[in-house]
């Protein structure tokens, strides 16, 4: 053994060389490598540390969502129009399937036996998910299993790794197609919707309102989802429960809709449109019954309708395609879809004429021929037709008999006899357009079921805009444009709801009400949380002038064009409308309108009826009369 | 009689030359490691503290053994080891070959023998034997690597071990071997031209290595490092979890025993390869800086040993040991902070594992021996 002082002599001989002394590079290597590590640590722990801390948190805290029971939708009497039901769904998670192809096929066949989804289709879905590296996400195979299928699947899934039964909250709408447009439906969130709803604390599997009340009052109906949070380890074992939040059921929405009235009107329209050949000309129809003082909708019917239960169901492609391909467009709410309002618009023209002082109740005109020939621009002779020889009439008769010539006189004027609303046809149109907008035309009424189109109030600027790419002569505003506008023809269009709203404003002394289907919001415990208060804007027409118009409407039902609406149960005032238009075939046809209110001296409700084909006084007026009758006898009386 | 007297007194003499800084820093690293092993094994082990089954106790026992060996070896002239290095080397090669037939596997790799309650990982000891053999070869053949022939022969010493370990497979350790060789030949004055030729040859061979020798899992691990989210529950798992652990520790860490990533088993092998993630999570950036400080201090003393070594053999051995510890520490931490693909390299002194601990303390013992004898071999 060598000591410290004595060098040990190796058998191979003594080391002969001097040590190298430059070890700086080694020092640099030590410092550099640790600097590199420090830099990376600085980035991870100090710059991105907060983000990592949040992700680490999510990593070990598992939250199981408990969805809240969705609020109900009730009719005016408090009867539910929807029922919450479970939806049974077969799902498959490719990553949990056996690796063996034969075992997989056996599972696919078993799935086919239980759910009826072809095994080949299942295999394709799994394959495409796996090739997209999305095998860890469940694929929905069938979304609307029967209870029996669901039970069988649940039992069988024990032997089928990867296949499972999922239960989602769904809605059943037992009230029938009469209510489909009002209630709307719910559905799964789309990818885009989820991106937005996530910030509002929505769970991915939470259904969301897609149309109607379900959509508009989503925030009320939805409630608050609860959840169980637990700390879990890497194997998914729960380590400790962190807490539980109970879900809060959604509020219910009570509608102003009287279910019986709604059904009665739908039946009435159905009978009328499906009736004998004489009546079968009309294909679609709509009716609105509105409280004349509050804007609460008592009934809003669109015919034909559809079964809104279709949307929650799987394998309904056939029924769905039929719906989409139906030329009558059942999905469209006819009560909110604009078309030419015809003579109902004369109420607006009358209001504009009276308010601007262009006419007085005593202003008269003599209609001695069905054709009035007027020399227009560049000496062109326009033949203007009226529907009958009215004789010499004043405003009251003009409204009662719905004289076109009278309202040409009021709106565009008759050269050499009376001036229009403005100094020339263009200004006349602008003035009339102003009053039309004040009565709610050309804009959405803001009804709480959505699906509105604003319709059109034309004026010279509008015409130049929409015909910007057409011939210069098409862009110009002509004398005749103002005249046609004055009788609700030409480019004017309005929905039955807009007409009803205008009628209510005339009836109630100038309040243009915001229509609403919902009456109040009710908490799960039955307390009224919020009442939907009436909202309105004041129409700038004097009460005196509106009273004059109401007299005309009264006369219309007593002896005029609206005679067939007259009823003994209640004193009705109203206005017919027959708007000419051309069918796609080129044939001339007419929309039939009637809009009125009752009782005459203390307006309670407004009824507006629309048929896409027919004559107002003949077709729409009697139906409106029946609706008034039913309301007074069956709804109001009780 | 007088010779006997010299021998008797020599045991108590010369301790003034012993490097206590090395002793203290390595001891501190071991203590740090014991703390982390305790934290990382809390959910695995719940038995009594004083038990050989307790990973902390087991590590402490190995550490005590290792430190004793270090002190004992510091008394022995390092030239003994250098002289007999070829025997150690031969034993190493044989045991590496034997691993292919007799070894035990874990995580898809065969790296150790089971001997009763302990596992012996030969590669830990082969590292040291190779360094010693390199030092012997160079000191006997002119003391430097300026000529091509000694350079190639030195490469021939390292390559068999590196390849045997590479095919275990253990990419990380084989890289440690090559870098250690590089460190030694650089200090031995290798010509830059030669090195470039070898590097070029290596690069030319790389595609073949990539195709025929690198296992799919290794490519996958490199892929994963680039985008760990591509398979977060599969190959990217360790990477994602260690990132989350280290990153979420932020400046001061979550506190001892409070790291959810560690305590809820999200980290795999939290007392071994991923022990640094435990440190990062529970002691944060500050804790990591303390660890880095200890390592740098230790390595600085190692470089000092190389500087003052009495002869070429001692210097090269010291350099080899410094590079060995540096590279193992660097690769291990780099894996933990996502700078390097996942590879099973322990953090010297800190990671749980007897073979690693004992072999690294033997290295320190040899380093001490070089320091204590530098005057005796200094040549003028």
């Amino acid at each position: 053994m060598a000591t410290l002082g004595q060098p040990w002599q190796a058998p191979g001989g003594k080391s002969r060389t001097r040590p190298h002394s430059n070890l700086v590079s080694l020092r640099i290597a030590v410092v550099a490598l640790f600097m590199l590590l420090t830099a990376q640590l600085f980035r991870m722990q100090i710059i991105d540390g907060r983000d990592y801390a949040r992700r680490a948190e999510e990593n070990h805290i598992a939250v199981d969502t408990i969805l809240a029971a969705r609020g109900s939708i009730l009719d005016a009497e408090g009867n539910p129009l929807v029922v919450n039901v479970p939806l049974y769904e077969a799902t498959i998670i490719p990553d949990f399937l056996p690796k063996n192809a034969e075992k997989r096929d056996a599972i696919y066949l078993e799935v086919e036996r239980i759910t009826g989804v072809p095994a080949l289709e299942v295999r394709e879905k799994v394959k495409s998910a796996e090739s997209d590296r999305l095998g860890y996400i469940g694929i929905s195979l069938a979304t609307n299993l029967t209870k029996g299928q669901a039970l069988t699947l649940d039992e069988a899934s024990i032997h089928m790794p990867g296949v499972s039964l999922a239960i989602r909250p769904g809605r059943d709408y037992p009230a029938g197609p009469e209510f489909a447009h009002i209630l709307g439906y719910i559905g799964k969130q789309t990818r885009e919707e989820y991106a937005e709803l996530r910030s509002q604390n929505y769970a991915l599997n939470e259904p969301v309102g897609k149309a109607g009340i379900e959509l508009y009052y989503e925030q009320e109906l939805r409630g608050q989802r609860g959840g169980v949070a637990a700390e879990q380890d890497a194997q998914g074992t729960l380590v400790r429960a962190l807490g539980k939040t109970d879900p809060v059921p959604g509020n219910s929405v009570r509608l102003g809709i009287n279910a019986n009235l709604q059904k009665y009107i739908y039946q009435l329209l159905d009978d009328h449109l499906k009736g004998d050949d004489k009546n079968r000309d009309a294909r679609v129809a709509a009716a609105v019954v509105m409280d004349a003082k509050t804007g609460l909708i008592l009934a809003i019917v669109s015919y034909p309708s559809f079964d809104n239960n279709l949307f929650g169901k799987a394998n309904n492609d056939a029924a769905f395609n039929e719906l989409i391909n139906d030329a009558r467009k059942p999905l469209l709410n006819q009560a909110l879809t604009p078309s030419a309002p015809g003579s109902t618009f004369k109420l607006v023209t009358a209001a504009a004429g009276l308010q601007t002082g262009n006419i007085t109740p005593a202003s008269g005109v003599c209609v001695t021929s069905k054709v009035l020939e007027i020399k227009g621009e560049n000496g062109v002779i326009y033949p203007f037709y009226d529907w009958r020889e009215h004789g010499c009439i004043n405003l009251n008769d003009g409204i009662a008999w719905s004289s076109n010539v009278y309202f040409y006189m009021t709106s565009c004027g008759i050269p050499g006899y009376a001036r229009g609303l403005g100094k020339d046809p263009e200004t006349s149109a602008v003035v009339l357009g102003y009053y039309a907008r004040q009565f709610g035309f050309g804009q959405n009424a803001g009804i709480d079921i959505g699906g509105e189109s604003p319709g059109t109030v034309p004026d010279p600027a509008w015409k130049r805009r929409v015909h910007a790419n057409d011939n210069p002569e098409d862009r110009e505003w002509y004398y005749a444009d103002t005249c046609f506008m004055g009788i609700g023809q030409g480019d004017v269009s309005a929905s039955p709801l807009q007409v009803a709203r205008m009628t209510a404003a005339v009836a109630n002394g100038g309040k243009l009400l915001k229509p609403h289907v919902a009456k109040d919001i009710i908490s799960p415990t039955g307390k009224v949380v919020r009442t939907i208060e009436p909202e309105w804007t004041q129409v700038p027409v004097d009460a005196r002038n509106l009273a004059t118009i109401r007299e005309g409407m009264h006369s219309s039902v007593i002896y005029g064009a609206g005679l067939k609406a007259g009823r003994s149960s209640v004193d009705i005032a109203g206005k017919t409308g027959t708007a000419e238009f051309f069918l796609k075939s080129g044939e001339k046809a007419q929309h039939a309108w009637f809009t009125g209110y009752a009782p005459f001296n203390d307006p309670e409700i407004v009824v507006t009826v629309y048929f896409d084909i027919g004559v107002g006084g003949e077709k729409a007026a009697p139906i409106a009369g029946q609706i008034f009758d039913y309301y007074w006898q069956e709804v109001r009386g009780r | 009689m007088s010779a006997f007297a010299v021998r008797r007194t020599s045991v108590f003499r010369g301790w003034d030359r012993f490097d206590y800084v090395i002793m203290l820093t390595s001891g501190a690293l071991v203590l740090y490691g014991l703390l982390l092993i305790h934290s990382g094994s809390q959910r695995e082990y719940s038995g009594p503290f004083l038990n050989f089954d307790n990973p902390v106790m087991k590590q402490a026992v190995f550490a005590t053994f290792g430190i004793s060996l270090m002190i004992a070896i510091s008394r022995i002239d390092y030239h003994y080891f250098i002289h007999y290095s070829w025997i150690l080397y031969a034993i190493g090669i044989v045991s590496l070959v034997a691993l292919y037939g007799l070894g035990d596997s874990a995580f898809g790799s065969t790296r150790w023998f089971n001997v009763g309650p302990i596992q012996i990982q030969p590669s830990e000891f082969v590292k040291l034997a190779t360094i010693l053999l390199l030092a012997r070869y160079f000191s006997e053949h002119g003391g430097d690597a300026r000529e091509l022939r000694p350079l190639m022969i030195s490469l021939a010493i390292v390559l068999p071990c590196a390849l045997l370990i590479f095919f275990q497979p253990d990419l990380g350790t084989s890289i440690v071997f090559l870098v250690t060789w590089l460190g030694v030949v650089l200090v031995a004055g290798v010509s830059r031209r030669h090195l470039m030729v070898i590097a070029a040859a290596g690069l030319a061979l790389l595609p073949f290595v990539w195709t025929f020798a690198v296992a799919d899992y290794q490519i996958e691990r490199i892929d994963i490092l680039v985008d760990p989210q591509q398979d977060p529950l599969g190959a990217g798992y360790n990477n994602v979890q260690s990132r989350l652990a280290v990153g979420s520790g932020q400046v001061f860490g979550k506190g001892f025993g409070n790291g959810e990533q560690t305590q809820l088993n999200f980290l795999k092998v939290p007392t071994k390869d991923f022990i640094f993630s435990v440190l990062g999570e529970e002691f944060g950036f500050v804790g990591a800086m303390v660890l880095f400080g200890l390592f740098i201090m230790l390595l600085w003393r190692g470089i000092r040993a190389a500087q003052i070594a009495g002869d070429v053999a001692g210097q090269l051995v010291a350099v080899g040991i410094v590079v060995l510890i540096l590279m193992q520490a660097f690769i291990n931490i780099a894996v933990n902070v996502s700078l390097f693909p996942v590879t099973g390299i322990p953090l010297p002194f800190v990671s749980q594992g007897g073979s690693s601990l004992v072999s690294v303390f033997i290295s320190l013992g040899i380093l001490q021996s070089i320091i204590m004898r530098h005057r005796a071999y200094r040549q003028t």
Side-chain angles (χ1 to χ4, degrees):
Chain A
M1 179 72 73
T3 59
L4 292 173
Q6 295 169 287
W8 177 76
Q9 292 297 317
K14 187 179 167 187
S15 299
R16 288 166 289 147
T17 47
R18 291 171 56 91
H20 304 270
S21 57
N22 191 357
L23 293 162
V24 174
S25 53
L26 197 52
R27 291 204 161 103
I28 291 173
V30 170
V31 172
L33 290 182
F34 277 99
M35 289 275 277
L36 181 62
L37 294 176
T38 305
Q40 172 76 345
L41 269 180
F42 187 84
R43 196 167 71 90
M44 288 172 76
Q45 297 190 300
I46 295 173
I47 298 175
D48 298 336
R50 221 172 269 263
D51 184 44
Y52 277 114
R54 182 185 53 75
R55 280 166 54 195
E57 189 95 323
E58 286 169 4
N59 202 19
H60 70 271
I61 292 181
V63 179
D64 246 355
T65 303
I66 309 172
L67 292 183
R70 199 172 168 87
S72 188
I73 302 174
L74 313 168
D75 71 1
E77 261 126 41
N79 301 313
L81 299 171
V82 297
V83 182
N84 283 332
V85 289
L87 287 185
Y88 302 107
E89 184 178 73
T91 60
I92 193 161
I93 300 177
D95 278 0
F96 293 165
L97 286 169
K99 295 283 166 251
N100 179 315
E102 273 171 43
K103 282 184 189 164
R104 281 189 174 201
D105 285 343
I107 288 179
Y108 300 157
L109 285 171
E110 182 71 359
V111 169
E112 176 175 346
R113 192 182 64 75
I114 299 170
T115 65
V117 181
L120 284 174
E121 190 186 317
V122 179
R123 183 156 72 185
E124 280 313 305
K125 279 186 176 173
V126 169
K127 255 189 197 162
S128 81
E130 284 186 329
S131 64
D132 293 344
R133 305 192 85 167
L134 295 174
Y136 55 93
I137 297 175
I139 306 171
S140 166
L141 295 177
T143 44
N144 226 52
L145 302 179
T146 64
K147 207 165 191 174
Q149 284 175 321
L151 283 175
T152 319
L153 182 73
D154 200 25
E155 269 174 33
S157 65
I158 299 165
H159 309 292
M160 299 192 289
V163 179
S164 60
L165 175 74
I167 303 174
R168 287 191 299 119
R171 293 282 243 193
D172 187 36
Y173 303 97
E178 297 92 324
F179 298 87
H181 290 112
I182 300 171
L183 301 177
Y185 48 90
I186 61 168
K188 279 185 182 177
Q189 299 165 40
T190 61
R191 197 181 285 259
E192 294 77 30
E193 279 171 333
Y194 182 61
E196 202 178 306
L197 292 174
R198 213 162 69 163
S199 61
Q200 295 171 35
N201 198 25
Y202 272 81
L204 183 57
N205 62 343
E206 201 169 337
V208 63
K210 296 279 187 178
I213 292 285
E214 295 274 30
L215 170 62
Y216 197 91
Y217 291 101
E218 167 71 18
Q219 292 309 318
E220 298 285 357
L221 293 167
R222 181 194 162 205
Q224 251 177 0
R225 70 178 162 123
V228 187
E231 193 167 62
Q232 67 176 10
D233 67 12
Q235 287 71 42
T237 318
L238 293 188
V239 181
R240 67 194 162 101
L242 294 174
K244 182 180 177 216
T245 329
D246 286 319
V248 181
N251 290 331
S252 292
V253 177
R254 179 161 61 185
L255 309 181
I257 301 290
N258 183 290
N260 291 332
L261 181 65
Q262 178 84 11
K263 283 183 187 159
Y264 172 78
I265 296 173
Y266 190 85
Q267 193 59 46
L268 207 56
L269 300 180
D270 188 46
D271 288 349
H272 209 69
L273 269 68
K274 277 189 183 162
D276 52 47
D277 283 355
K278 187 164 61 91
N279 287 323
R280 267 234 297 261
D281 45 3
R283 300 172 311 150
V284 304
V288 176
V289 180
M290 188 168 95
D291 186 309
K293 290 180 181 133
T294 65
L296 183 67
I297 302 287
L298 308 177
I300 182 163
V301 178
S302 173
Y303 184 92
S305 189
F306 61 97
D307 178 7
N308 49 345
N309 284 314
L310 276 182
F311 290 88
K313 286 186 180 142
N315 311 326
N316 57 359
D317 292 354
F320 203 77
N321 279 337
E322 197 184 319
L323 209 53
I324 299 274
N325 295 328
D326 190 329
R328 300 175 302 167
K329 298 186 179 151
L331 292 174
L332 203 61
N333 189 341
Q334 296 295 340
L336 307 180
T337 305
S339 56
S343 304
T344 58
F345 191 77
K346 287 174 182 166
L347 300 177
V348 177
T349 309
L354 287 168
Q355 192 65 25
T356 55
N358 193 36
I359 54 166
T360 66
S363 298
V365 69
C366 292
V367 184
T368 51
S369 155
K370 280 196 187 179
V371 184
L372 173 69
E373 289 185 338
I374 295 172
K375 200 191 259 182
E377 297 92 346
N378 311 325
V380 182
I381 304 291
Y382 288 103
F384 286 111
Y385 297 91
D386 210 330
W387 64 284
R388 85 194 252 280
E389 291 170 26
H390 296 292
C392 292
I393 50 172
N394 60 7
L395 175 61
N396 194 63
D397 283 343
I399 294 174
W401 289 111
S402 199
S403 163
N404 287 350
V405 170
Y406 193 93
F407 288 97
Y408 294 147
M409 177 187 80
T410 309
S411 57
C412 56
I414 298 171
Y417 179 73
R419 73 182 284 260
L421 288 167
K423 62 178 168 35
D424 54 38
E426 291 210 6
T427 14
S428 297
V430 171
V431 171
L432 185 54
Y434 166 77
Y435 282 98
R437 286 190 196 92
Q438 291 300 317
F439 274 103
F441 291 98
Q443 58 200 280
N444 285 337
I447 193 170
D448 49 0
I449 53 174
E452 284 189 85
S453 301
T456 310
V457 175
D459 58 30
W462 171 87
K463 194 171 181 187
R464 277 195 291 277
R465 201 168 59 242
V466 295
H467 292 291
N469 299 322
D470 300 337
N471 295 326
E473 55 265 32
D474 288 342
R475 263 177 286 183
E476 232 167 278
W477 185 268
Y478 295 105
Y479 168 72
D481 288 327
T482 310
C483 300
F484 288 143
M485 188 178 165
I487 61 165
Q489 295 261 160
D491 291 314
V492 186
S493 67
S495 68
L497 182 70
Q498 284 170 327
V499 172
R501 209 175 160 217
M502 176 269 289
T503 310
V506 172
N508 67 24
K511 284 182 189 169
L512 183 70
L513 295 156
K514 182 179 172 184
H516 53 101
V517 170
K519 188 157 67 181
D520 42 31
I521 308 294
I522 300 172
S523 75
T525 52
K527 269 191 294 189
V528 173
V529 183
R530 177 160 76 90
T531 306
I532 314 294
E533 298 293 342
E535 286 175 46
W536 70 85
T537 53
Q538 189 66 36
V539 177
V541 177
D542 296 347
R544 184 167 47 92
N545 293 337
L546 293 174
T548 308
I549 296 168
R550 288 200 294 269
E551 289 293 342
M553 292 168 74
H554 198 202
S555 304
S556 172
V557 178
I558 292 171
Y559 61 80
L563 185 67
K564 288 188 175 169
R567 283 297 179 275
S568 56
S569 60
V570 64
D571 192 9
I572 299 167
K575 179 79 198 73
T576 56
T578 306
E580 289 189 344
F581 71 104
F582 291 96
L583 291 171
K584 271 182 193 155
S585 59
E587 248 178 291
K588 216 179 212 182
Q590 293 147 323
H591 298 309
W593 290 86
F594 182 88
T595 186
Y597 68 90
F600 166 63
N601 43 25
D602 181 22
E604 270 182 39
I605 62 161
V606 167
V607 172
T608 301
V609 176
Y610 163 81
F611 287 96
D612 70 335
I613 293 171
V615 173
E618 299 297 320
K619 190 152 189 138
I623 296 290
Q626 279 175 274
I627 295 171
F628 277 116
D629 250 356
Y630 184 88
Y631 180 80
W632 248 267
Q633 284 157 10
E634 303 293 330
V635 180
R636 191 173 182 270
R638 301 229 243 127
Chain B
M1 202 58 200
S2 72
F4 185 63
V6 168
R7 212 180 301 156
R8 278 274 302 274
T9 52
S10 69
V11 177
F12 302 100
R13 280 180 54 204
W15 291 110
D16 53 329
R17 290 182 207 161
F18 187 83
D19 192 332
Y20 293 98
V21 178
I22 287 183
M23 171 98 166
L24 287 175
T25 48
S26 59
L29 283 169
V30 169
L31 283 177
Y32 209 163
L34 290 176
L35 213 58
L36 296 172
I37 291 166
H38 178 71
S39 179
S41 64
Q42 273 179 19
R43 274 196 99 204
E44 296 288 304
Y45 179 80
S46 54
F49 189 80
L50 292 172
N51 188 312
F52 196 62
D53 286 336
N54 182 350
V56 180
M57 279 315 293
K58 201 167 168 180
Q59 181 82 344
V61 168
F62 278 119
T64 315
F65 178 61
I67 291 169
S68 316
L69 263 182
M70 170 177 76
I71 293 168
I73 287 170
S74 70
R75 299 301 304 173
I76 303 169
D77 192 321
Y78 58 97
H79 288 89
Y80 278 111
F81 299 104
I82 291 174
H83 182 68
Y84 294 112
S85 59
W86 63 275
I87 298 178
L88 298 173
Y89 181 81
I91 294 171
I93 292 282
V94 168
S95 59
L96 282 181
V97 172
L99 265 185
Y100 284 90
L102 305 169
D104 283 288
S105 324
F107 305 112
S109 174
T110 311
R111 297 178 188 176
W112 51 75
F113 295 112
N114 273 348
V115 181
I118 52 174
Q119 298 169 326
I120 294 177
Q121 202 169 338
S123 60
E124 293 295 339
F125 299 98
V126 177
K127 290 170 192 165
L128 199 52
T130 308
I131 291 170
L132 292 170
L133 188 58
L134 279 178
R136 172 175 171 163
Y137 175 77
F138 281 124
S139 68
E140 286 179 2
H141 294 83
D144 61 41
R146 262 183 263 272
E147 305 295 323
L148 186 59
R149 203 178 111 90
L151 184 66
M152 294 315 288
I153 289 174
S154 72
L155 188 58
I157 292 170
V158 174
L159 267 186
C161 302
L163 287 176
L164 279 169
I165 290 166
F166 179 80
F167 286 111
Q168 280 181 354
D170 184 350
L171 176 68
T173 306
S174 50
I175 289 175
V176 168
F177 261 89
L178 292 177
V179 175
T180 307
W181 169 78
L182 190 68
V184 170
V185 297
L186 274 174
V187 172
V190 67
S191 115
R192 212 167 284 166
R193 199 160 50 87
H194 292 158
L195 211 53
M196 273 158 72
V197 170
I198 291 176
L203 277 179
L205 279 172
L206 199 63
F208 297 97
V209 175
W210 189 262
T211 314
F212 298 110
V214 178
D216 278 348
Y217 88 94
Q218 284 163 333
I219 294 172
E220 192 175 37
R221 281 177 176 183
I222 292 167
D223 261 9
I224 286 301
L225 188 73
V226 178
D227 179 15
Q229 295 298 342
Q230 65 174 269
D231 186 9
L233 295 178
Y237 180 88
N238 286 325
N239 194 277
V240 169
Q241 299 301 345
S242 68
R243 262 182 204 218
L244 286 182
V246 174
S248 65
Q250 304 189 59
V251 182
F252 297 105
K254 298 173 188 169
F256 180 58
N258 290 336
E260 296 96 352
Q261 288 290 107
T262 306
Q263 306 305 335
L264 298 175
N265 282 5
F266 286 95
L267 288 172
K268 294 273 172 65
V269 283
T271 60
K272 293 175 178 165
D273 298 354
F274 285 100
I275 196 161
F276 183 80
S277 296
V278 178
L279 185 151
E281 183 177 30
E282 300 196 342
F283 298 120
F285 188 74
V286 172
M289 288 306 108
V290 171
L291 184 89
F292 289 4
L294 289 171
F295 267 115
I296 291 172
M297 211 186 291
L298 180 71
L299 292 167
W300 226 245
R301 297 304 285 192
I303 296 170
R304 172 182 168 267
Q307 193 93 56
I308 64 174
D311 60 355
V312 164
Q315 181 173 56
L316 293 182
V317 169
V319 167
I321 289 170
V322 166
V323 175
L324 187 66
I325 294 173
L326 170 66
M327 284 318 292
Q328 292 190 81
F330 174 73
I331 292 179
N332 175 280
I333 297 171
V335 166
N336 277 271
V337 297
S338 302
L339 284 177
F340 201 82
V342 173
T343 177
I345 287 196
L347 185 57
F349 305 104
V350 181
S351 282
Q352 185 196 347
S355 299
S356 162
L357 203 56
V358 169
S359 86
V360 84
F361 272 118
I362 291 174
S363 310
L364 290 191
I366 293 172
L367 214 54
Q368 295 283 16
S369 170
I370 294 166
I371 295 166
M372 288 165 83
R373 281 166 189 79
H374 72 273
R375 289 220 180 109
Y377 288 104
R378 170 116 331 148
Q379 293 159 17
T380 48

